[in-house]
Amino acid sequence: MPTATPISRVNDFVVRFANVNGSGSASANEMFARAVLRMGIPAAPRNIFPSNIQGLPTWYEVRVTEANHLGARGGTDLMVAMNPQTFDKDIAGIEPGGYLLYDSTKPLPASKFRQDITVIGVPLTAICNREYTDPRQRQLFKNIIYIGVLSALIDMDVKVVEQLIGEQYKGKEKLIEPNIKALHIGRDYATLNLACPIGLRLKKSSKVGDRIFIEGNSAAALGAVYGGATVCAWYPITPSSGLADAFTQHCAKLRVDKASERAKYAIIQAEDELASIGMVIGASWNGARAFTATSGPGISLMQEFIGLAYFAEIPAVIFDVQRAGPSTGMPTRTQQCDIISCAYASHGDTKHVLLFPEDPAESFDFSAQAFDLADRLQTPIFVMLDLDIGMNHHLSRPLAWDDNRKYDRGKVMTAEELEAGKEFGRYLDVDGDGITYRTYPGTHPTKGSFFTRGTSRDRYAKYTEEGAPYVDNMQRLVRKFDTAKDLVPRPLLANADKPTKYGVIYYGSTAPAMDEAIHMIEAHGHALDRMRIRAFPFHSSVNSFVADHDFVFVVEQNRDAQLRSLIVNECGIDPVRLVPINHYDGTPITARFIAKAIGEHLDKLKVTPMKVSS
């Protein structure tokens, strides 16, 4: 018996799978997560994988959470340890009273185990060697067998898993029966030889509701389709490649003319990131809605072309699925570390619009909106995803679209308007909002033409290096950026249940952890008003929120407090009033981390002490 009381919870625990990359475990582990959801229980899975193709450790974590806490929790209640290389580390991460499931084919000394956990050994390799002769089958079916063992240990509805196997191998019926057999081999072994169920149990629920299970990259790609995008030019880079792949799949279903079977889209894998953004700018200049998907290193390479689009005022949408830097950094780890580089991308005085979705549903919404904003503002728009949002499946509200919605193509002067004598100056601010009128190529045979250039020019696109026209143009671009403040998604506010002098600002994928952390903070007697920022430039309510509080925490996933710096620079706020809470080890931020860090700051500032266990 373990020295710590075994954990006993229903629909509230974390299962972590430790495997070897390339072992075929990914589909089995995801099937486990989907089975939990099919039982009506909310779950939050996260895939932690290496940047090489095969051989290194990989982990898959599933948080079972009837309370709908969908952020990473930290800690493991049940470890499925299938990788000898990481065995010691995996055991160390188990919570006291937790459970270890491991392959006991090869006996291990007692010193390999902790005394405060329940150890469950199953001779998985021996079972596979007995049942299968083919080495690859032994490896693949081992994954399904341990899912069968788990189904008995935590009282999972095995019928649900059988149904998922049938769906996964639809069209490959020969694979269905062998996988179901492997599932029951594991389940039968557990039922006959182990004490089932353990203290961690699943119980059917109805808390999933009508929500869907989708990756952020796929949702963003679908948003691009619905937002009118017809051109994607990209160069492969983790973790953004899945977005371009998903766009390809969505277009094959939704952008093919039924009568002629002709594709009504163009997807180009360019030779590098420079070429890809150049293609996007060219397509957008011609009137198409175009985008690229990349990550931090790609943004670095695109700088000069981004400046061209900004200064020549050409629409473009750039999806930055952020990963950990600098340089190559950790390509398969998550961060929010491209905020400054995207906000001021390129040389010279530039400012760009950034959108910060929190989940796949907002990734869909903001993706579609980005194309309207790019056309309306005639400028690059950055959709700031990250690996946690983009490459993981999330339980998300259904994606919604209004079929009556019309695209906002912005200020485009027509041939009729030109023919009627309406004055056209490509960089002439007629309405005072900084946004000028443009024409599509070929709009009129003699009127409305202009040179598109990256050099200085006057209001009528005539080349000049005189200071006054340059200053006039740069000031107009500032007015346009100010106009954007009322066009981008506004921050969302949530007040504490009681008056408080303290607030917290957060954004993007920190939202699920922040939502849970607030409950932990309140449970210890503190109150925080909350603001989730959804876009840059910042709405005036950001200034008001900070002004209304003695100090405000800014929670983000980077070392240098980049959003905080942006708020200080753009809003003129005393940096002392913004307290940074920074997490940047490449794993998703947790509610425990946020609550503990905020508690420690409140202690230092002599606010009523709050203690939160790590």
Side-chain angles (χ1 to χ4, degrees), residues 277-278 281-282 285 302-316 345-347 350 352 378-380 427 452-455 457:
I277 187 62
I281 293 169
W285 180 84
M302 295 177 184
Q303 295 286 304
E304 188 171 359
F305 263 139
I306 291 172
L308 171 65
Y310 172 81
F311 199 52
E313 298 179 72
I314 300 171
S346 196
H347 52 276
T350 56
H352 302 292
Q378 299 173 32
T379 197
Y427 302 107
T452 302
R453 61 172 87 243
T455 49
R457 67 280 163 144

Side-chain angles (χ1 to χ4, degrees), residues 223-547:
V225 174
Y226 275 79
T230 56
V231 176
C232 168
W234 66 294
Y235 183 77
I237 182 171
T238 301
S240 71
S241 297
L243 200 157
D245 290 338
F247 184 73
T248 302
Q249 295 169 9
H250 294 320
C251 283
K253 294 179 181 178
L254 302 171
R255 286 224 184 282
V256 175
D257 182 76
K258 294 181 179 179
S260 65
E261 296 185 352
R262 290 184 60 186
K264 303 192 310 187
Y265 59 92
I267 300 171
I268 307 143
Q269 181 177 320
E271 61 267 33
D272 53 35
E273 286 89 349
L274 282 78
S276 67
I277 187 62
M279 293 173 184
V280 167
I281 293 169
S284 298
W285 180 84
N286 273 284
R289 288 192 156 184
F291 74 90
T292 189
T294 189
S295 191
I299 296 295
S300 298
L301 292 169
M302 295 177 184
Q303 295 286 304
E304 188 171 359
F305 263 139
I306 291 172
L308 171 65
Y310 172 81
F311 199 52
E313 298 179 72
I314 300 171
V317 173
I318 301 170
F319 292 95
D320 180 6
V321 190
Q322 300 167 89
R323 68 190 204 184
S327 188
T328 305
M330 295 189 290
T332 58
R333 299 293 184 265
T334 193
Q335 276 190 14
Q336 297 172 313
C337 58
D338 298 343
I339 307 305
I340 295 295
S341 64
C342 289
Y344 302 124
S346 196
H347 52 276
D349 294 323
T350 56
K351 290 183 183 180
H352 302 292
V353 175
L354 314 181
L355 305 182
F356 304 120
E358 69 164 343
D359 62 7
E362 275 197 348
S363 298
F364 173 84
D365 295 339
F366 289 6
S367 172
Q369 187 177 4
F371 292 94
D372 278 352
L373 288 169
D375 275 350
R376 177 77 177 272
L377 295 166
Q378 299 173 32
T379 197
I381 305 294
F382 291 81
V383 183
M384 306 298 292
L385 300 161
D386 59 36
L387 184 146
D388 186 35
I389 296 174
M391 290 195 72
N392 285 312
H393 281 84
H394 296 261
L395 194 57
S396 172
R397 62 175 167 82
L399 310 182
W401 183 259
D402 182 359
D403 288 332
N404 295 317
R405 176 173 169 176
K406 303 295 183 183
Y407 295 146
D408 183 353
R409 299 309 304 256
K411 297 181 180 182
V412 180
M413 198 167 287
T414 64
E416 291 74 19
E417 289 171 322
L418 291 166
E419 191 65 33
K422 190 170 182 178
E423 183 182 12
F424 175 72
R426 176 63 185 95
Y427 302 107
L428 178 65
D429 185 1
V430 176
D431 303 316
D433 58 3
I435 305 172
T436 64
Y437 282 83
R438 62 176 174 142
T439 58
Y440 295 137
T443 295
H444 193 282
T446 60
K447 301 176 182 179
S449 62
F450 60 92
F451 281 111
T452 302
R453 61 172 87 243
T455 49
S456 182
R457 67 280 163 144
D458 65 13
R459 296 177 180 182
Y460 295 91
K462 181 181 178 182
Y463 171 72
T464 177
E465 291 187 10
E466 293 182 6
Y470 174 79
V471 171
D472 175 68
N473 193 56
M474 294 300 287
Q475 288 300 313
R476 179 182 57 76
L477 290 172
V478 171
R479 289 198 301 276
K480 181 167 74 169
F481 197 69
D482 287 338
T483 297
K485 292 178 181 179
D486 291 320
L487 298 178
V488 299
R490 295 192 176 189
L492 295 182
L493 291 165
N495 291 326
D497 292 336
K498 58 184 179 181
T500 177
K501 297 184 291 183
Y502 317 117
V504 61
I505 286 174
Y506 59 104
Y507 64 104
S509 63
T510 60
M514 190 69 243
D515 292 343
E516 183 180 2
I518 285 296
H519 296 296
M520 299 169 68
I521 292 167
E522 290 175 345
H524 287 81
H526 291 292
L528 289 176
D529 292 330
R530 307 183 295 286
M531 170 177 274
R532 179 164 68 88
I533 289 179
R534 301 195 295 165
F536 174 71
F538 303 124
H539 188 260
S540 59
S541 58
V542 175
N543 293 69
S544 301
F545 183 80
V546 177

Side-chain angles (χ1 to χ4, degrees), residues 18-19 79-84 87 90-91 100-109 112-113 119-129 138-139 141-143 145-146 149 153 189 194:
N19 300 100
M79 171 60 72
V80 182
M82 295 293 121
N83 187 355
F87 194 81
D90 294 331
I91 291 180
L100 168 69
L101 172 61
Y102 81 106
D103 184 351
S104 61
T105 300
K106 181 180 178 181
L108 296 175
K112 295 290 288 184
F113 305 105
V119 177
I120 305 169
V122 177
L124 293 165
T125 299
I127 293 172
C128 290
N129 289 343
R138 287 173 174 174
Q139 182 182 53
F141 285 121
K142 180 179 179 180
N143 303 316
I145 290 172
Y146 70 63
V149 172
L153 288 175
Y189 179 91
L194 304 174

